[in-house]
Amino acid sequence: NNAKDIDQIRESFISISKAIIGLNESFEPLDYKVYIQHCPMANNNKGADWLSKEEKIRNPYFGSSMLNCGELKSAMK
């Protein structure tokens, strides 16, 4: 069933995003801004973060159904 597949993909994306955010915070600054964005409804309403090269919210957890839902937490450079 496709719903289970997308749930598994979202779960994996949460783990991958946490790891990449940690790597970005641990190493030398990048030569461009990277934004940490947050969706409070992802992960069964526990919330989850992701990285974006754009300040504008493009929610990867809910896609076109809630594309602009989320908030900017911080920016790294």
Side-chain angles (χ1 to χ4, degrees):
N1 148 340
N2 287 341
K4 282 189 174 184
D5 292 342
I6 193 68
D7 289 341
Q8 291 171 340
I9 291 169
R10 285 181 180 139
E11 195 66 34
S12 295
F13 188 68
I14 290 169
S15 299
I16 291 168
S17 290
K18 284 181 183 178
I20 293 174
I21 289 169
L23 286 171
N24 274 286
E25 292 173 334
S26 298
F27 289 97
E28 293 294 318
L30 302 170
D31 52 351
Y32 55 88
K33 261 189 189 175
V34 177
Y35 300 93
I36 299 175
Q37 299 177 342
H38 180 77
C39 175
M41 295 173 19
N43 196 17
N44 294 316
N45 291 319
K46 295 175 195 163
D49 299 338
W50 71 93
L51 288 179
S52 178
K53 288 177 80 174
E54 297 179 23
E55 187 172 358
K56 187 174 185 177
I57 301 292
R58 291 286 187 247
N59 189 323
Y61 293 106
F62 293 105
S64 62
S65 66
M66 295 176 54
L67 188 60
N68 300 318
C69 180
E71 62 188 7
L72 176 65
K73 285 180 69 174
S74 64
M76 296 184 287
K77 181 165 181 174

